[in-house]
């Protein structure tokens, strides 16, 4: 490779890196997930959604196999949670999911038809 | 996730706890609220979790790269033929020999590592001394000049000869592994010595062992694999001038480490520019100025890739530094300040840090420069910084006792009543996305 070509390559690489840096540093407004996002995510994950009202109705006459799972961090759980819920802190990464599979299965128990509500 | 495990009746309440609480439905709090002391605090370590995994992976890769230096590379055929001679004895025994060989290699190196780490207790405190930092950097650069080919590091001849003799049996394999380190010393020595100084700075025997064990695994693995499949020997590129190029590359790695070592002594702008300059110089030396003939097909490509990596690193360092917005404004510790915060009912964050600690720098450079963190901090918090870089300040000693600080970084969170929230305490780097919920919980409380 001759020198001008090399320089061109270097410039291209610098431009790419700068572009990426700009992208990484651009100001981002943290967005609240819309209801549509939540629905799409539920469809992808294969679970159903439940509203606070429905859950409250369910909660008043709880079926024997209802399990409420609080997926927030333990300090959030400690500062207040739905009465009767158990804490199972989750992180939204595949690595965490893969690692925590066994623990979650143990928490939910062997009954595959069990009613589990996550929040 | 529960769905994947085969459960059928899985629901999610997207509005969760806040809505539930608003509707006045039954809630419970643990007897331990947000700010009660936690049962046991996690012991801080110099390296843990992901940082540890990545460091070890890097060292492993470094060990593999050492195979390409001119002292180790010619040994490959010898080792392989040594194992080839044993191949008549069947697969299982060959594997056993290979494992003994690896064990021998690991033994020499790990002993070195542990020794460095044990004496490192002394060195650990020495490393806070600017003079020592400069000396270490100078040693690293000195060894780098050896790798660049300005002078030759040699072992006494007798030792090299004894080491290259081959012995029979499993003990022979073990011994060959033990001595590989010695034979290869002229090339890998500078790199290993550089690593030794670093391990000594960590000051933990276990880490020292782990680092050097990983290094030997990396160094031994290609040999091991080649020995297992002796037939593949012809596919290796011939040894030649290109290996001198690899030596130069290792030399630049050492120069980079030297620049990193003296980072705490320099103002941030200078140290960033220095590191970027080293990366650029490496790219120019290894690519534009280099006249090493292309020994095999992938070589020019590898050269270009290394040079471009250098250019990217330099651009990234300077760009990232230049692009960063303003950080959190810190105040020095004073009782008066804490009293004021209590009066104004503002939560307080106390950051215990030292310039020589890399997770502290990461916390400062990434987390405490995140725009959202900065905004929250300016609005609702009193941010206090305690600099532990130099020992002997009586006020600092007292604070360390008062808050039970065992190492840096430690970030202590005080709530609006001035009470510490022990379960929020940080003893390691935390990305801004994970710090934000803690901050907002404290300010809302």
């Amino acid at each position: 490779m001759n020198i001008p070509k090399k320089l061109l390559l270097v410039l291209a690489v610098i431009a790419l890196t700068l572009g990426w840096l700009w992208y990484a540093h651009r100001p981002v407004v943290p967005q609240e997930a819309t209801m549509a996002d939540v629905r799409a995510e539920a469809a992808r994950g294969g679970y159903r959604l439940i509203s606070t009202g429905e859950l409250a109705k369910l909660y008043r006459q709880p079926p024997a196999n209802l399990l409420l799972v609080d997926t927030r961090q333990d300090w959030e759980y400690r500062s207040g949670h739905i009465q009767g819920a158990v804490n199972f802190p989750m992180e939204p990464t595949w690595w965490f999911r893969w690692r925590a599979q066994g623990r979650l299965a143990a928490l939910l128990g062997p009954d595959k038809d069990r009613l589990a509500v996550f929040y | 996730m529960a769905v994947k495990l085969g459960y059928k009746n899985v629901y999610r309440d997207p509005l969760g706890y806040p809505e539930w609480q608003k509707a006045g439905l039954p809630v419970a709090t643990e007897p331990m609220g947000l700010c009660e002391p936690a049962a046991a605090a996690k012991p801080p370590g110099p390296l843990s979790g992901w940082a540890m995994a990545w460091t070890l992976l890097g060292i492993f890769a470094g060990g593999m790269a050492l195979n390409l230096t001119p002292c180790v590379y010619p040994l490959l055929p010898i080792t392989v033929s040594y194992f080839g001679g044993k191949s008549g004895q069947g697969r299982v025994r060959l594997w056993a020999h290979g494992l003994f060989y690896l064990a021998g290699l690991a033994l020499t190196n790990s002993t070195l590592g542990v020794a460095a780490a044990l004496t490192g207790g002394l060195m650990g405190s020495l490393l806070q001394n600017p003079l020592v930092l400069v000396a270490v950097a100078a040693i690293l650069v000195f060894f780098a000049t050896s790798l660049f080919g300005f002078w030759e590091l040699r072992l006494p001849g007798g030792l090299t000869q004894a080491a290259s003799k081959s012995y029979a049996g499993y003990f022979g394999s073990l011994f060959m592994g033990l001595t590989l380190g010695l034979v290869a010393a002229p090339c890998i020595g500078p790199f290993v010595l550089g690593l030794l100084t670093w391990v000594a700075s960590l000051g933990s025997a276990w880490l020292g062992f782990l680092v050097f064990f990983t290094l030997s695994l990396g160094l031994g693995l290609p040999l091991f694999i080649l020995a297992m499949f002796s037939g593949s020997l012809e596919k290796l590129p011939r040894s030649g001038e290109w290996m001198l190029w690899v030596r130069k590359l290792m030399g630049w790695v050492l120069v980079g480490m030297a620049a990193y070592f003296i980072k705490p002594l320099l103002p941030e702008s200078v140290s960033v520019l220095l590191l970027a300059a080293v990366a650029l110089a490496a790219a120019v030396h290894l690519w534009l100025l280099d006249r090493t003939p292309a020994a095999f097909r992938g070589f020019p490509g590898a050269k270009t890739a290394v040079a471009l990596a250098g250019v990217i690193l330099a651009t990234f360092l300077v760009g990232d530094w230049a692009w960063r917005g303003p950080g959190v404004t810190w105040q020095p510790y004073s009782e008066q300040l804490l009293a004021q915060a209590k009066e104004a009912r503002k939560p307080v964050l106390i950051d215990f840090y030292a310039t020589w600690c890399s997770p502290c720098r990461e916390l400062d450079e990434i987390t405490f420069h995140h725009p959202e963190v900065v905004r929250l901090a300016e609005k609702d918090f009193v941010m206090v910084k305690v600099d532990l870089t130099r020992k002997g300040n009586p006020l600092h000693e007292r604070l360390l006792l008062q808050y039970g600080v065992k190492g840096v970084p430690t970030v202590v969170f005080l709530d609006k009543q001035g009470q510490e929230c022990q379960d929020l305490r940080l003893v390691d780097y935390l990305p801004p996305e994970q710090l934000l919920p803690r901050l907002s919980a404290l300010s809302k409380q």
Side-chain angles (χ1 to χ4, degrees), chain B residues 396-432:
Chain B
H396 291 175
E397 301 290 332
R398 192 172 61 72
L399 286 177
L400 290 187
L401 275 179
Q402 183 185 337
Y403 290 106
V405 174
K406 292 185 191 72
V408 278
T410 300
V411 180
V412 170
F413 297 77
L414 304 184
D415 68 7
K416 289 173 178 168
Q417 287 84 39
Q419 201 87 50
E420 197 207 330
C421 303
Q422 282 228 323
D423 47 347
L424 293 187
R425 181 185 274 217
L426 299 183
V427 290
D428 198 358
Y429 169 68
L430 192 80

Side-chain angles (χ1 to χ4, degrees), chain B residues 247-328:
Chain B
R247 259 182 86 143
K248 284 184 199 159
L249 174 64
M250 298 312 256
W252 278 110
V253 170
L254 284 187
V255 175
M257 279 168 77
Y260 188 80
F261 252 97
I262 54 170
K263 218 175 137 188
L265 304 180
L266 303 171
E268 209 193 342
S269 52
V270 178
S271 65
V272 164
L273 288 179
L274 182 67
L275 274 173
V278 169
L280 268 187
V284 169
H285 182 202
L286 294 172
W287 193 40
L288 291 180
L289 299 181
D290 192 69
R291 293 277 169 269
T292 312
F296 55 94
R297 213 139 47 100
F299 187 52
K303 253 164 71 167
T304 313
V306 166
L308 290 185
V311 172
I312 290 176
L313 187 67
T315 321
F316 177 80
L317 283 170
V318 175
D320 194 52
W321 169 71
W323 230 298
R324 228 170 39 200
V328 168

Side-chain angles (χ1 to χ4, degrees), chain B residues 13-30:
Chain B
D13 178 4
L15 297 175
Y17 179 71
E19 280 296 310
W20 182 272
Q21 197 188 18
K22 242 186 259 166
L25 290 158
V27 297
T29 42
E30 289 285 287

Side-chain angles (χ1 to χ4, degrees), chain B residues 65-419:
Chain B
L66 284 176
N67 275 297
L68 302 178
T69 53
C71 314
V72 185
Y73 198 74
L75 283 180
L76 289 181
I78 302 171
T79 318
V80 172
S81 58
Y82 170 78
F83 281 105
K86 299 205 179 293
S87 64
Q89 303 170 355
R91 260 279 80 115
V92 180
R93 295 188 65 179
L94 189 61
W95 272 91
H97 273 289
L99 287 178
F100 265 94
Y101 180 78
L102 264 184
L105 188 59
L107 208 64
T108 342
N109 282 332
S110 311
T111 316
L112 272 177
V114 172
L118 286 181
T119 54
L122 289 171
M123 283 187 74
S125 52
L126 277 180
L127 276 175
Q128 297 170 27
N129 186 330
L131 277 178
V132 175
L133 285 180
V134 170
V136 168
I139 292 172
L140 288 176
V141 172
F142 178 63
F143 281 123
T145 56
S146 157
L147 286 174
F148 290 147
F150 293 128
W151 57 281
E152 208 58 52
L153 183 72
R154 272 187 210 288
L155 282 180
L159 202 60
T160 322
Q161 249 180 16
S164 53
K165 254 187 219 157
S166 56
Y167 293 80
Y170 287 122
F171 180 72
S173 298
L174 183 74
F175 192 74
M176 271 198 64
L178 272 174
T179 50
L180 173 72
L182 294 181
V183 178
C187 287
I188 70 172
F191 185 74
V192 170
L193 283 175
L195 206 59
L196 275 177
T197 3
W198 177 68
V199 162
S201 78
L202 291 178
S204 145
W206 162 238
L207 267 180
F209 173 78
L210 211 60
V211 162
F212 275 84
F213 191 74
T214 319
L215 179 76
S216 359
L217 283 188
L219 185 59
L221 192 72
L223 279 170
F224 182 72
I225 291 175
L226 281 175
M228 291 304 109
F229 308 97
S230 311
S232 54
L233 192 59
E234 297 84 57
K235 291 191 195 120
L236 277 179
R238 289 242 177 79
S239 53
E241 266 189 87
W242 65 274
M243 289 187 310
L244 291 176
W245 182 84
V246 174
R247 259 182 86 143
K248 284 184 199 159
L249 174 64
M250 298 312 256
W252 278 110
V253 170
L254 284 187
V255 175
M257 279 168 77
Y260 188 80
F261 252 97
I262 54 170
K263 218 175 137 188
L265 304 180
L266 303 171
E268 209 193 342
S269 52
V270 178
S271 65
V272 164
L273 288 179
L274 182 67
L275 274 173
V278 169
L280 268 187
V284 169
H285 182 202
L286 294 172
W287 193 40
L288 291 180
L289 299 181
D290 192 69
R291 293 277 169 269
T292 312
F296 55 94
R297 213 139 47 100
F299 187 52
K303 253 164 71 167
T304 313
V306 166
L308 290 185
V311 172
I312 290 176
L313 187 67
T315 321
F316 177 80
L317 283 170
V318 175
D320 194 52
W321 169 71
W323 230 298
R324 228 170 39 200
V328 168
T329 23
W330 297 94
Q331 286 165 290
Y333 182 91
S334 74
E335 299 292 339
Q336 207 186 349
L337 191 68
L338 287 201
Q340 271 172 18
K342 211 165 155 183
E343 194 118 321
R345 295 185 56 74
K346 272 189 166 186
V348 182
L349 214 134
I350 310 176
D351 180 17
F352 292 88
Y353 85 108
T355 44
W356 42 264
C357 123
S358 64
C360 307
R361 291 185 83 114
E362 239 180 308
L363 253 181
D364 188 52
E365 284 164 20
I366 301 169
T367 309
F368 291 128
H369 270 87
H370 189 273
E372 190 62 18
V373 171
V374 173
R375 198 184 59 80
L376 257 176
E378 306 289 292
K379 193 163 67 87
D380 293 331
F381 283 80
V382 175
M383 308 293 278
V384 178
K385 207 160 204 173
V386 181
D387 183 357
L388 299 176
T389 308
R390 274 165 217 286
K391 284 191 174 147
N393 184 328
L395 170 69
H396 291 175
E397 301 290 332
R398 192 172 61 72
L399 286 177
L400 290 187
L401 275 179
Q402 183 185 337
Y403 290 106
V405 174
K406 292 185 191 72
V408 278
T410 300
V411 180
V412 170
F413 297 77
L414 304 184
D415 68 7
K416 289 173 178 168
Q417 287 84 39
Q419 201 87 50

